[in-house]
Amino acid sequence: MAGRNHLYVPGPTNIPIEVLSAMNVNGEDHRSPKFPDLFKPLLADLKKIFRTEDGHAFIFPATGTAGWEIALTNTLSPGDKVLIYRFGQFSHLWAAMANRLGFDVTVVERPWGEGIPLDDLEARLKADTKHEIKAFLATHNETATGVTSDIGGVRKAMDAANHPALLFVDGVSSIASLDFRMDEWGVDGAISGSQKGFMLPAGGAFVAFSQKAIKACDTARCPRAFLDLKDQLTANKDGYTPYTPSIPMLYGLRKSLDLLLEEGLENVYARHHRLAEGTRKAVAAWGLEQCAKPGFESNTVTAVVVPADKDARAVISTAYSKYNLSLGAGLSEVAGKVFRIGHVGDMNDVSMLGAFAGVEMALLDNGFDIKPGSGVGAAVEYYRATA
Ligand SMILES: *Cc1c(COP(=O)(O)O)cnc(C)c1O
């Protein structure tokens, strides 16, 4: 098919041409005296994205999933109690991992479409008077349902309960695109990956840990080797890595950090909010519902619910095969019930309008009762009015 594929899955995301060009490099000696000149500023600038001065940033040759494991195994001991709310495929997988790693996991079910219930969290932590819960696992942006939880509110709930648990946050689809404040919110472990807001290929787990979390490594008894934070700390101190880094990834990250910091984080957050608002206007104009309940709507991905007599898989399939448009599928419990429009990373008004036009064609082809141009029109007016 002529023309490019139009990529609107919420990860991997579009890679800016500047980043692609920066990654087109030869192999390089990662033990050379020059290597720290590349590596040290990467860690320093990653801290700016996480918004931490007190914490440490790390780059692992891995993905977001490894970030979950890094947080758990470096700071906890087998059998430790951890608490997590399950309201989508990613919170589900993190809980499942914690179980597989041998922790005592309390999984609290919430409706898919809602996020972390702050009152319930505070009550549970208050009830844990012996402080048996060692870590609370928070999925900041549940990519499966397009739900964002209030991590500042989580910190308030933890403080109100005067609870010392570590706070680990999955920010794979939020960090570098949604407001995230590691130090201000007292986050002990912030987990992200290269292929979403960072606009890179998959293969980088970018994580940051507080001093409290680093200290917990000293007494944590979970076995760990490749994902050991202490090995990273020791090598990173001099600007090196404990094993061979992906050189193209590091040059790509250099460019991606430059782009994000040049735009300014507040502007990056505002752009994602505006593009998401336009998406929500389009969905409303089609007469469709979002999976996210009011107050939880994500600015990086919108999950759109199809009526009960329709199959979202057909919409996604038509979009891909007929229009070369990649939409996100519904995962596990919402398979067939939702399709997802990603608006994370290297996006602007016109790229979003292209997605809405493609979605409209796929909806019409599948017998949805929508007016051609309705969603595009609503978004056009919103984007023009707020440009
Ligand atoms: C994509 C994603 C992950 C998984 O990341 P991988 O890079 O596929 O390991 C974890 N959590 C959230 C919220 C995600 O969006």
Side-chain angles (χ1 to χ4, degrees), residues 63-66 68 90 139 141-143 170 172-173 195-196:
T63 73
T65 301
W68 293 336
F90 293 96
T139 305
N141 190 75
E142 177 48 84
T143 320
D170 173 350
V172 178
S173 62
Q195 78 275 25
K196 290 171 186 172

Side-chain angles (χ1 to χ4, degrees), residues 85-88 91 109-117 139-142 145-149 290-297:
Y85 292 96
R86 177 186 181 272
F87 42 71
S91 41
E109 299 290 339
R110 298 297 298 175
W112 288 37
E114 294 183 20
I116 298 169
T139 305
H140 185 197
N141 190 75
E142 177 48 84
T145 54
V147 158
T148 301
S149 288
Q290 295 171 60
C291 183
K293 297 290 172 266
F296 288 113
E297 299 94 337

Side-chain angles (χ1 to χ4, degrees), residues 15-27 194 198-202 246-256:
I15 305 174
I17 194 83
E18 298 96 315
V19 173
L20 283 172
S21 307
M23 295 184 74
N24 192 8
V25 291
N26 199 353
S194 50
F198 286 96
M199 308 173 287
L200 289 160
S246 162
I247 295 290
M249 174 67 81
L250 297 183
Y251 279 102
L253 176 60
R254 179 65 269 155
K255 182 50 81 175
S256 134

Side-chain angles (χ1 to χ4, degrees), residues 224-275:
R224 53 200 186 265
F226 181 69
L227 300 180
D228 200 317
L229 278 180
K230 284 292 170 86
D231 291 348
Q232 288 281 351
L233 269 180
T234 306
N236 289 176
K237 196 162 42 62
D238 302 318
Y240 292 96
T241 59
Y243 25 69
T244 318
S246 162
I247 295 290
M249 174 67 81
L250 297 183
Y251 279 102
L253 176 60
R254 179 65 269 155
K255 182 50 81 175
S256 134
L257 291 169
D258 289 345
L259 291 173
L260 289 165
L261 295 171
E262 264 164 38
E263 184 176 357
L265 286 180
E266 296 300 337
N267 295 328
V268 170
Y269 306 152
R271 175 167 55 83
H272 281 85
H273 171 75
R274 215 175 129 267
L275 295 178

Side-chain angles (χ1 to χ4, degrees), residues 284-317:
W286 295 326
L288 296 175
E289 300 277 333
Q290 295 171 60
C291 183
K293 297 290 172 266
F296 288 113
E297 299 94 337
S298 164
N299 286 337
T300 54
V301 54
T302 300
V304 185
V305 180
V306 302
D309 64 334
K310 293 278 193 291
D311 188 342
R313 282 172 283 227
V315 178
I316 294 162
S317 167

